[in-house]
Amino acid sequence: MVTTKTMTAETHIRYKKESQFMQVLKRLAQDRFAMTGLGILIVIILLSTFAPVITPYSANAFDPKVALQGSSMAHWLGCDKFGRDMLTRLLYGGRYSLLLGFTAAAASAVIGLVLGAFAGYFGGWVDNLVMRFLDVLQAIPGMLLSICIATALGNGFLNTIIALSIGGIAGITRMLRARIMSERKSEYLEAAASINCSTSRIIFKHLLPNTVSPVIVNITMGIGATIMQAAGLSYIGLGVPVGTPEWGAMLSEGRAYIQSAPHLLLWPGVFIAVTVLAINMLGDGLRDAMDPRLKK
Amino acid sequence: MAKYIIKRLILCIVVIFCASIVIFTIMYFVPGDPVEIMMGANATIAEKDAMRHEWGLDQPYLIQLGSFLYNVFINHELGISYTYNAPITTEMMSRFPRTLFIGISCIIVDVILSIPLGIQAALKQGKWQDRVSTIFAMACVSVPDFWFALMLVILFSQILHWLPSYGIGGLQYYIMPIMANALAGIGGLLRQTRSGMLDVMKADYITTARAKGVPEKTVIHKHMLNNALIPVITVIGGHFGRAVAGTVIIEQVFSIPGIGQYMLNAVNTRDYPVIRGGVIILAATTSVVMLLVDLVYAVVDPRIKAQYIGKAGQ
């Protein structure tokens, strides 16, 4: 009895010392659903990173003998019109799709957080200017804005990232701004200001860490949405250059063979859906872990 | 109330106006000369210059922008298609009903499917129904709509031969496009309805109603639903924008001659005025729908209405 009591007391003390971040991670680790998502995501990342080691084929080697062939022992998921191994291309494609999703989501997160922090902290005309600009930007549905920008910039990896990231800025900015508005009168900010902290230090060292957590969930979910948008852009020929083993571009190439070789259309979509699902599962778990009240 | 409506209407027009400037500016900086693309290598420099002059492409940015805005907002003319040399507005207007039909049908399908499911999920919170609907909602938002559309074509047109795979005609041509485009909305709306219901279920007035001995059915239908579904209305407005933007790729998959298909064909031929015009029309449609949703919201929710009337009186 006595030992258990001291045990709980000890764990209690340790629990208090734990940072909020560690608590969130702990709760997340207990969420089976989220961990499944994380597991799937890690497997996909590893598979695409080590694609050259895993598959004996090259992503761009033509082999007309096996063109449009279905699944076989040699080519598990079949071959495309040039006889390139589908599984190999899908694994290499993961690099493009994941990188597009993560970098575009990260870019919109950084811009959105900075804009949101400035708008929320300074208020007044800065806030007005930023918010009215976002009103205008949000009047154009995200995918259409991406199509416009992608058309203007042309094909290419970097251009696709720019086209995708601009659509995601508004949501993040709005969310962070709302959080900061409710936090602006807090005492710790007053305290920081009173010890002569610079404005940038107040914003980035004090205000942002205290307000950013709900936005992180949004950013995570945004990665999944961005991967789908990237695939969409590539499908209509506006994303990465033709011939790149990106999942959306592969769907676009397979479109002509919908009758003769439907496997060309099936697998890239399965890869996209599984990846996005895994990210969304993780994001959903993250939301619950950050705000345990939501669950009950 | 009238004051509020007018204020919102003016704001809506200003936003569409500014959005047009943004879109024009983005498209202005497109690399490559449209005249070069259209006339090819065969035309002489003088011919190309004449063409550039005819379309005003030799004018500076601000003058081009001014005449563009004047044409769009005063003459309601979106410009001339480079490829077809025909006015874009006429073409857009003949295609617009199809795009609008798909967009609105999607919202209706979303509402019919996701609201009852969301309500059930909330009422059965934590039970298997809730878990199934959570997984279903998550699957819906994780599947790319255009890929789902392609899979529908393979299943219903090629394997089962139930539905036509592309083109337009009777209602059966629209079933798959609407299903595919509604997919993402179902997931989002389901989650929103569920969390809206859960919020309401914990409210004091529900406990009060139960304490008074109001039958459970009446509690759900009269007390919960009315309050839970009001916030869902705003979400529907947001979904409409998504549904309309989604039609762009879906129309391409099913070869439906709507605004989206017109725009994407223009992407391939570098026919920029068409892309610009399409985006402006779709953005304006979205803005107008959002405005309508906000107005409905204000009318439906007595609390909001009171707030606006209070503001107008100040």
Side-chain angles (χ1 to χ4, degrees):
Chain A
M1 250 343 250
V2 180
T3 43
T4 43
K5 232 180 187 174
T6 45
M7 277 280 284
T8 45
E10 262 175 29
T11 41
H12 187 68
I13 292 164
R14 211 188 297 152
Y15 180 75
K16 272 205 149 177
K17 275 183 188 165
E18 252 171 17
S19 70
Q20 216 178 347
F21 181 67
M22 282 309 289
Q23 286 179 37
V24 168
L25 281 191
K26 260 196 174 161
R27 273 197 295 266
L28 189 65
Q30 280 159 5
D31 188 339
R32 247 187 303 160
F33 206 57
M35 283 302 110
T36 316
L38 183 65
I40 297 172
L41 193 62
I42 290 175
V43 168
I44 294 170
I45 291 173
L46 287 179
L47 281 176
S48 50
T49 312
F50 295 106
V53 188
I54 296 165
T55 116
Y57 303 104
S58 147
N60 291 312
F62 292 2
D63 186 0
K65 287 194 294 290
V66 290
L68 296 179
Q69 215 174 57
S71 298
S72 65
M73 279 309 284
H75 302 279
W76 290 359
L77 301 183
C79 295
D80 72 357
K81 60 178 169 181
F82 296 121
R84 296 176 291 196
D85 182 56
M86 276 297 274
L87 182 60
T88 307
R89 283 180 73 72
L90 286 168
L91 293 183
Y92 278 97
R95 297 177 170 189
Y96 291 94
S97 292
L98 287 169
L99 215 58
L100 275 177
F102 278 92
T103 37
S108 43
V110 170
I111 302 171
L113 287 180
V114 170
L115 279 181
F118 277 107
Y121 182 78
F122 291 110
W125 68 269
V126 181
D127 182 41
N128 240 326
L129 187 75
V130 171
M131 295 322 278
R132 293 298 79 78
F133 182 66
L134 291 186
D135 277 345
V136 171
L137 217 52
Q138 275 192 316
I140 311 164
M143 189 64 193
L144 294 181
L145 190 61
S146 297
I147 289 176
C148 258
I149 299 168
T151 314
L153 295 176
N155 292 87
F157 194 73
L158 190 67
N159 292 345
T160 310
I161 291 175
I162 296 171
L164 290 170
S165 54
I166 289 177
I169 294 172
I172 294 168
T173 308
R174 267 178 207 283
M175 208 169 166
L176 184 72
R177 171 183 172 268
R179 283 281 297 135
I180 286 181
M181 295 285 252
S182 64
E183 198 91 343
R184 212 166 43 170
K185 298 266 150 60
S186 303
E187 278 167 358
Y188 68 88
L189 293 179
E190 217 175 299
S194 70
I195 57 168
N196 212 11
C197 277
S198 67
T199 312
S200 71
R201 194 178 164 83
I202 292 176
I203 293 177
F204 293 106
K205 272 270 176 181
H206 298 278
L207 194 51
L208 215 49
N210 279 298
T211 47
V212 84
S213 58
V215 189
I216 288 177
V217 175
N218 242 35
I219 295 169
T220 314
M221 300 293 221
I223 300 171
T226 314
I227 289 178
M228 285 209 282
Q229 276 200 357
L233 275 187
S234 299
Y235 179 76
I236 55 180
L238 281 174
V240 294
V242 186
T244 313
E246 193 264 352
W247 295 336
M250 290 173 71
L251 282 172
S252 175
E253 279 178 50
R255 175 81 178 97
Y257 304 93
I258 188 165
Q259 288 187 318
S260 54
H263 67 269
L264 295 184
L265 293 173
L266 178 67
W267 294 114
V270 170
F271 271 68
I272 299 170
V274 169
T275 310
V276 177
L277 187 66
I279 292 170
N280 284 345
M281 281 160 81
L282 185 63
D284 212 45
L286 205 58
R287 183 195 342 246
D288 289 343
M290 283 184 169
D291 193 355
R293 278 169 307 161
L294 276 177
K295 203 156 193 187
K296 279 289 139 227
Chain B
M1 202 64 194
K3 213 171 169 183
Y4 171 69
I5 295 174
I6 292 169
K7 201 177 126 195
R8 285 300 318 266
L9 200 65
I10 292 172
L11 203 67
C12 180
I13 293 169
V14 171
V15 165
I16 295 172
F17 184 79
C18 295
S20 307
I21 297 178
V22 170
I23 295 164
F24 179 86
T25 310
I26 295 173
M27 299 311 266
Y28 179 80
F29 291 108
V30 167
D33 184 354
V35 173
E36 207 71 48
I37 293 164
M38 270 185 325
M39 300 187 83
N42 296 330
T44 61
I45 292 170
E47 277 173 337
K48 283 178 186 169
D49 280 343
M51 191 144 212
R52 246 175 236 132
H53 186 72
E54 192 193 323
W55 278 337
L57 291 170
D58 50 355
Q59 303 282 348
Y61 166 73
L62 277 180
I63 296 191
Q64 281 194 43
L65 175 67
S67 76
F68 170 72
L69 291 175
Y70 179 81
N71 278 330
V72 172
F73 288 93
I74 309 293
N75 297 339
H76 307 294
E77 184 48 70
L78 289 163
I80 306 282
S81 157
Y82 292 156
T83 335
Y84 302 107
N85 211 351
I88 294 167
T89 314
T90 335
E91 186 68 35
M92 288 280 178
M93 283 306 133
S94 69
R95 288 161 176 266
F96 186 60
R98 293 189 199 105
T99 303
L100 196 64
F101 174 71
I102 296 176
I104 290 174
S105 310
C106 284
I107 294 298
I108 294 171
V109 171
D110 282 350
V111 168
I112 290 174
L113 282 179
S114 54
I115 289 184
L117 282 175
I119 292 169
Q120 279 307 312
L123 291 177
K124 301 270 159 64
Q125 193 198 359
K127 299 212 180 86
W128 66 267
Q129 291 97 326
D130 186 22
R131 234 164 294 147
V132 168
S133 81
T134 304
I135 294 169
F136 173 69
M138 205 168 264
C140 282
V141 293
S142 302
V143 171
D145 47 5
F146 64 97
W147 176 72
F148 184 63
L150 292 167
M151 292 301 112
L152 287 176
V153 170
I154 292 178
L155 179 65
F156 289 113
S157 305
Q158 290 181 14
I159 299 175
L160 297 171
H161 299 288
W162 286 358
L163 295 168
S165 62
Y166 65 90
I168 47 164
L171 266 183
Q172 72 270 27
Y173 286 88
Y174 287 100
I175 295 174
M176 287 195 289
I178 291 168
M179 272 169 80
N181 202 18
L183 188 75
I186 294 173
L189 212 53
L190 199 162
R191 296 289 282 173
Q192 191 66 39
T193 311
R194 178 180 175 273
S195 60
M197 276 295 277
L198 287 179
D199 280 345
V200 170
M201 278 161 74
K202 277 179 272 170
D204 288 339
Y205 57 82
I206 298 294
T207 321
T208 313
R210 287 205 177 110
K212 283 195 303 187
V214 177
E216 192 59 28
K217 252 198 178 146
T218 323
V219 172
I220 295 172
H221 288 277
K222 280 212 134 171
H223 297 255
M224 285 186 191
L225 287 189
N226 283 346
N227 289 297
L229 295 185
I230 288 173
V232 173
I233 295 174
T234 20
V235 184
I236 293 174
H239 277 279
F240 184 81
R242 219 195 135 113
V244 163
T247 52
V248 173
I249 302 188
I250 295 295
E251 281 174 3
Q252 181 81 348
V253 171
F254 292 101
S255 304
I256 294 172
I259 289 186
Q261 195 212 26
Y262 189 34
M263 274 171 64
L264 289 192
N265 288 344
V267 167
N268 292 329
T269 52
R270 306 279 158 206
D271 197 351
Y272 302 121
V274 172
I275 306 172
R276 199 167 61 193
V279 175
I280 288 173
I281 285 192
L282 294 182
T285 313
T286 317
S287 299
V288 170
V289 170
M290 298 281 240
L291 173 70
L292 291 178
V293 166
D294 272 2
L295 294 182
V296 169
Y297 191 69
V299 171
V300 173
D301 193 339
R303 285 168 295 187
I304 308 269
K305 200 173 170 184
Q307 209 180 322
Y308 288 134
I309 288 168
K311 257 187 199 161
Q314 272 168 17

